[in-house]
Amino acid sequence: MTHEQDNPNHDDGNGPDRSDADREQGKDADIVHLDAARAGRQPQKPEAVRSEPDTPAQADGPVLEGAVVRVDQPGPTGADWRTAFEAKARSRQPIIPLWLRSRSEAGDTLAWISRHYLHIAGYQVARLPLYGGRLTARAPRGLLRLVGGSIKWTFDLEGEPVRVAAVQKEDPEAYLKLSRQRDRRVRLRVLISVVALITLAIAAIVVAAQPTTMQWMALAVSIAMLGILGKPADRPLINRAVVPSTVEKLTSDIVIRALTVLGIAGINQAVAKNPKDAIRFVAPITRDGPGWRADIDLPYGVTVADVMDKRDRMASALRRPLGCIWPEGDSTIHEGRLILWVGDKDLSKTVVKSPLLKASSHDVFKGIPFGCDPRGRAIVVPLTEQNILIGSQPGQGKTASVRVLASGAALDPSAELWIHELKGTGDLDPHEQNCHRYVSGIDDEAIAYAADSLALLRKEVMRRAAALKALPPDLCPDKKVTRHIADKRSLGLHPLVAIFDECQNLFAHADYGDKAGQDAEFIIKLGRALGVILVLATQRPDKDSLPTGISANVTIRFCLRVAGQLENDMILGTSAYKNGIRATVFQPTVDAGIGYLLGAAPMPKVVRTAYLDTPATQRIADHAHALRANAGALSGHALGETPEQHAPAYDLLADILAVVPPSEAKVWNETIVDRLAELRPEIYGTWAGLEGGAKTAQLTTALKPYGIKTLQVWGTPEAGGKGANRIGVARDDITKAITHRDGGRSTSAAS
């Protein structure tokens, strides 16, 4: 059998062989010569197509140049109707406005409306005597206008110029026609005027017979009507209670004008080719809080980050202060969806009052009211199961942000508060009375105290892990601290909020920094579900003063003004600057208290923090102290107790190698714990006192931050007995972990 017979699609020079059924079903497509198609010509006939120089002479047909191109079948393609409905569902407009869904926002809106109209009413009522005087002064002019207008109307004097013009043109026919029309009008109008005068006379007689009060009321009404008739055209009677705003209404033309002057090539090219549809408004421009909102699809290839980088130029194009222009993206739809919000008021001039000032108490499990976004919506920062990192340049409102979080935690009597203010200025001193541990200072003693706190927190995390694991499933099904578990004070699983302000002074310290960084990383990774919450604030976000293990694992980040991309991404996460989340756009000092908040909501948000000055913080702290005293929740520093010191410094991995000789390749966890308790009873004694699997789990949890995994180990009890498979570790894994931790340097213990 020849090659041509084997090939079902053999080309005989007249096109590929296809059955009629195949042609009807469109299984095959035409072969198009690429050069001819690109040149806009008709495809060449097969015999006109050049052969390849090396084509064998026995080939039955010519070989086409280029690749075989399959042409799609004509006609519309069917779309998945479910996908279309899902897309429509995502873009549904809410039946109930967003501001009505929030009780606080609805209350604030209704309160604002009530105050607005009460102000207008009070303003106008207070000026009633002034308006009465104006009406009285204008009444004579109104009377003259009324009498003069009535005479002109009654005798048709407004038509006199037309009749005179007819006389001047010597047009008797037109004059007679106009005269007859005037006579008819005057007869009817005189009758009406006489009836009106008689009615007024009767009304005057009736009013004269009424009591004096009614007479004065009639006189006031008459003066008011005459005063309105006598009003000058350029002087209104009533003053404006509210000066109208000069803010220009946002329209599609204004938005397009602003986008085209940004100098973004993709936008300008698209608008030049298709001015009408290059920038698409996916929803009408509407009022959204104290401003205007526009939902826009940018031209293909243009991202929201491109626009956010030109925010200052957009403010110039919209003729608004920079603090009124807040573009943001919606990556859940696509990277070119721009949500442009233009506020009526500069966010930097907005003062946000904290609801904590009026709160009788607070529940940290419900989050802490932190501030508001540019649209005036309240922002709540979740605290439980979170760790928070705050960063900025000096003087941008970092410590004020920490005050809000500390005040919210203090108002929950069940939350234990540890505060370390490592600047030494006493910004958080009002809450000293509520803290289990507290220090304020920048000297080595204060730094050592803060390092002790992290060591104690690490120990507390280990204890809580064992305690939480021991709880029955019906009480703790998800293996995390809940409000119900936190209220059981005897379990010791209540929220513990540890604040480290100016933490760079701790992590960059020559003596305590490395160990403190390791402890903090351990706590951040494991303490989140155990009710241990770290709040770290720094004004120097670099790899030396903020270990990467910490910055990479915090769940909530708040970045106020920073100087550059490196600092921005250290706080907000890798690629944040590239994605348009740039805290560098905030103005120094002017935008103090404004920053980007990530992790507290599905999308990054610009947030203006609530401002609590020292007197306001003191009032909250005093109230929190009374709550804690009544609940019996004061402890440690708040009661004047001597601060607890952590045990002497130790190295868990080195200690394990010390009790596991090289001859033992694999050892049970429980055996290691017993040996560690003999080596350092002051540190590991509590581990050895655990029962059952809790002892094994304690060591497993302690080794997890080092990446050491446990395994099944065959062994026998040291006191004698039958062999068994139990959870243990390999000594080589401990050695490798020490080598990796120490940067490849070998240690004597690892030998």
Side-chain angles (χ1 to χ4, degrees):
M1 182 180 290
T2 64
H3 173 72
E4 290 81 357
Q5 291 172 332
D6 290 338
N7 184 5
N9 294 326
H10 166 62
D11 187 356
D12 59 0
N14 296 319
D17 293 337
R18 293 184 298 173
S19 66
D20 293 340
D22 289 343
R23 290 189 183 95
E24 291 176 0
Q25 295 176 4
K27 293 183 179 179
D28 291 330
D30 295 336
I31 299 177
V32 180
H33 184 242
L34 291 180
D35 291 339
R38 292 179 182 133
R41 301 190 300 270
Q42 294 293 331
Q44 298 177 4
K45 294 181 180 180
E47 57 270 15
V49 180
R50 294 184 293 107
S51 305
E52 294 292 335
D54 56 346
T55 302
Q58 67 270 20
D60 292 336
V63 179
L64 298 179
E65 285 187 346
V68 176
V69 178
R70 295 285 180 180
V71 180
D72 292 339
Q73 294 297 318
T77 57
D80 185 358
W81 62 271
R82 288 170 296 185
T83 303
F85 272 111
E86 289 175 0
K88 291 180 179 179
R90 288 195 298 268
S91 60
R92 288 173 183 165
Q93 297 295 319
I95 297 175
I96 301 175
L98 294 177
W99 66 271
L100 276 177
R101 296 184 182 183
S102 169
R103 178 177 297 179
S104 60
E105 189 170 351
D108 292 342
T109 302
L110 294 176
W112 182 90
I113 293 174
S114 301
R115 289 194 300 269
H116 176 73
Y117 286 104
L118 283 174
H119 171 77
I120 292 176
Y123 183 91
Q124 301 298 357
V125 168
R127 282 157 179 76
L128 283 178
L130 174 63
Y131 300 152
R134 288 180 180 174
L135 289 173
T136 302
R138 296 173 181 178
R141 181 186 297 173
L143 179 61
L144 293 176
R145 287 182 177 178
L146 178 62
V147 173
S150 299
I151 293 174
K152 287 182 180 180
W153 178 80
T154 301
F155 297 103
D156 196 20
L157 297 181
E158 63 269 17
E160 186 68 21
V162 180
R163 293 190 291 273
V164 172
V167 173
Q168 291 176 349
K169 291 181 180 180
E170 298 180 354
D171 187 353
E173 183 177 353
Y175 176 76
L176 290 174
K177 184 177 180 180
L178 292 172
S179 297
R180 285 193 293 268
Q181 184 184 42
R182 174 190 176 278
D183 293 341
R184 288 195 301 270
R185 286 180 175 179
V186 169
R187 281 194 295 269
L188 178 61
R189 293 178 180 182
V190 167
L191 178 61
I192 294 173
S193 298
V194 170
V195 172
L197 288 173
I198 294 173
T199 303
L200 287 174
I202 294 172
I205 294 172
V206 172
V207 170
Q210 298 299 319
T212 306
T213 304
M214 293 296 295
Q215 294 176 4
W216 281 108
M217 288 179 62
L219 179 62
V221 171
S222 301
I223 291 175
M225 295 176 63
L226 293 174
I228 293 173
L229 287 175
K231 179 182 73 69
D234 59 340
R235 297 180 62 186
L237 172 66
I238 298 176
N239 297 339
R240 289 185 178 272
V242 179
V243 178
S245 174
T246 58
V247 177
E248 187 177 20
K249 178 182 178 181
L250 194 68
T251 64
S252 58
D253 291 337
I254 294 175
V255 173
I256 293 174
R257 180 191 69 192
L259 291 173
T260 53
V261 302
L262 297 182
I264 300 175
I267 293 179
N268 294 341
Q269 292 172 3
V271 171
K273 293 179 180 179
N274 188 359
K276 292 184 178 180
D277 298 327
I279 298 174
R280 191 167 69 91
F281 292 83
V282 297
I285 297 177
T286 58
R287 290 290 294 179
D288 184 7
W292 298 92
R293 169 178 171 148
D295 293 32
I296 305 164
D297 272 348
L298 296 171
Y300 297 111
V302 181
T303 65
V304 175
D306 298 332
V307 175
M308 295 180 70
D309 197 31
K310 309 280 188 179
R311 178 169 159 257
D312 53 345
R313 299 188 65 177
M314 178 173 286
S316 174
L318 294 173
R319 290 295 186 263
R320 302 293 295 125
L322 187 61
C324 294
I325 310 301
W326 299 105
E328 61 185 43
D330 190 350
S331 58
T332 60
I333 300 177
H334 57 76
E335 296 299 329
R337 174 62 57 84
L338 171 67
I339 311 298
L340 176 61
W341 191 83
V342 181
D344 299 336
K345 186 178 179 181
D346 192 337
L347 184 62
S348 64
K349 295 180 173 60
T350 302
V351 178
V352 182
K353 295 182 179 179
S354 175
L356 297 174
L357 283 168
K358 297 181 179 180
S360 58
S361 63
H362 191 67
D363 183 359
V364 296
F365 283 87
K366 295 180 179 179
I368 294 178
F370 192 61
C372 72
D373 65 2
R375 306 179 198 179
R377 298 175 298 188
I379 299 297
V380 175
V381 171
L383 202 62
T384 55
E385 299 187 52
Q386 307 291 339
N387 293 288
I388 301 174
L389 175 62
I390 301 173
S392 74
Q393 290 179 318
Q396 296 303 308
K398 171 176 48 59
T399 302
S401 305
V402 174
R403 275 181 177 170
V404 176
L405 298 175
S407 297
L411 285 171
D412 187 342
S414 70
E416 188 174 320
L417 195 58
W418 296 17
I419 291 181
H420 311 81
E421 191 267 294
L422 302 179
K423 185 167 55 175
T425 57
D427 291 329
L428 300 175
D429 280 355
H431 286 298
E432 181 179 0
Q433 58 187 319
N434 301 312
C435 291
H436 179 78
R437 287 179 65 85
Y438 181 85
V439 68
S440 175
I442 197 174
D443 53 7
D444 287 348
E445 184 178 354
I447 301 298
Y449 186 93
D452 284 344
S453 292
L454 285 173
L456 291 168
L457 285 173
R458 181 169 185 158
K459 181 179 178 181
E460 175 68 9
V461 167
M462 296 178 185
R463 183 197 68 79
R464 288 183 176 223
L468 195 67
K469 185 175 182 179
L471 293 178
D474 60 330
L475 181 62
C476 185
D478 297 326
K479 295 303 176 184
K480 63 182 181 180
V481 175
T482 62
R483 175 82 271 174
H484 178 65
I485 295 174
D487 288 338
K488 297 180 180 296
R489 198 75 180 187
S490 59
L491 297 177
L493 294 175
H494 52 276
L496 195 162
V497 182
I499 296 173
F500 293 82
D501 191 18
E502 306 295 351
C503 63
Q504 76 276 357
N505 294 330
L506 170 59
F507 296 131
H509 196 276
D511 297 330
Y512 306 106
D514 292 342
K515 181 63 168 58
Q518 295 173 15
D519 289 341
E521 183 177 350
F522 178 90
I523 296 162
I524 286 174
K525 289 180 177 178
L526 300 181
R528 191 171 62 87
L530 304 172
V532 178
I533 302 143
L534 285 189
V535 178
L536 306 174
T538 179
Q539 62 174 308
R540 197 174 70 191
D542 55 49
K543 63 179 181 179
D544 296 325
S545 55
L546 186 63
T548 54
I550 295 174
S551 61
N553 288 285
V554 290
T555 51
I556 295 179
R557 307 158 186 267
F558 184 57
C559 186
L560 299 106
R561 160 76 188 183
V562 290
Q565 178 179 353
L566 179 62
E567 296 85 351
N568 186 87
D569 288 355
M570 281 292 293
I571 298 297
L572 296 176
T574 305
S575 299
Y577 190 91
K578 180 181 178 182
N579 294 332
I581 309 170
R582 302 176 179 179
T584 56
V585 301
F586 303 125
Q587 305 171 82
T589 306
V590 176
D591 288 334
I594 302 176
Y596 266 107
L597 180 67
L598 272 72
M603 298 293 293
K605 288 184 176 293
V606 173
V607 175
R608 171 79 174 186
T609 56
Y611 180 65
L612 293 174
D613 56 11
T614 301
T617 307
Q618 187 66 55
R619 291 196 298 272
I620 294 175
D622 292 342
H623 180 62
H625 183 77
L627 285 175
R628 290 169 175 268
N630 292 335
L634 294 174
S635 62
H637 184 86
L639 295 177
E641 296 176 357
T642 302
E644 180 184 1
Q645 298 293 330
H646 78 286
Y650 70 97
D651 186 334
L652 175 63
L653 301 183
D655 288 349
I656 292 176
L657 292 183
V659 299
V660 178
S663 59
E664 295 183 88
K666 299 177 182 178
V667 186
W668 290 347
N669 275 16
E670 58 187 78
T671 301
I672 294 175
V673 170
D674 290 338
R675 294 177 183 178
L676 288 174
E678 293 179 3
L679 177 68
R680 299 183 192 273
E682 70 280 4
I683 297 175
Y684 305 111
T686 55
W687 295 16
L690 298 174
E691 297 180 357
K695 183 189 298 185
T696 298
Q698 184 67 57
L699 183 59
T700 300
T701 302
L703 292 175
K704 191 176 294 184
Y706 302 102
I708 299 174
K709 297 182 179 180
T710 56
L711 64 158
Q712 290 288 331
V713 174
W714 175 265
T716 57
E718 292 188 327
K722 295 183 179 181
N725 266 323
R726 298 181 184 178
I727 298 297
V729 295
R731 191 178 190 277
D732 286 345
D733 291 342
I734 305 296
T735 303
K736 291 177 183 178
I738 290 179
T739 303
H740 176 73
R741 183 193 64 186
D742 296 340
R745 299 187 304 271
S746 60
T747 62
S748 58
S751 60

